[in-house]
Amino acid sequence: MDAELKLNKILVQVQKLSKFEQATLLKKMSSLINGDKQPSKQVRLVDIGGLGSSLWRDVDIDKYVDEERQW
């Protein structure tokens, strides 16, 4: 397959990404081209949703908030 045809197919897929996803891809491509050993890992809040939920499983949230407001 011709290199330009491959690039055009990739660009079509990239255009379907959100601006945030495109920017993330650009950072990763830049790291790849520059030969960076480890690209910086960016964590999105959406990716950590539910983290620590097991800690709160047996806690009455309303009671906890009321107790915190008392001090």
Side-chain angles (χ1 to χ4, degrees):
M1 184 181 283
D2 181 41
E4 187 159 339
L5 183 58
K6 285 181 184 179
L7 290 175
N8 286 336
K9 284 187 174 188
I10 292 170
L11 286 174
V12 168
Q13 294 299 313
V14 170
Q15 289 172 340
K16 294 178 183 178
L17 299 173
S18 70
K19 295 297 179 191
F20 178 81
E21 292 167 328
Q22 289 177 2
T24 301
L25 177 61
L26 183 59
K27 285 182 187 177
K28 290 181 179 185
M29 291 298 300
S30 176
S31 293
L32 179 67
I33 291 168
N34 292 329
D36 297 345
K37 298 288 185 223
Q38 288 187 342
S40 62
K41 174 78 172 138
Q42 185 175 18
V43 178
R44 299 180 335 176
L45 290 178
V46 171
D47 296 334
I48 62 172
L51 185 66
S53 62
S54 61
L55 299 173
W56 294 95
R57 182 181 6 218
D58 298 323
V59 176
D60 180 346
I61 301 300
D62 292 325
K63 181 180 175 187
Y64 175 81
V65 170
D66 287 340
E67 288 173 1
E68 288 297 307
R69 289 180 178 159
Q70 296 302 318
W71 67 275

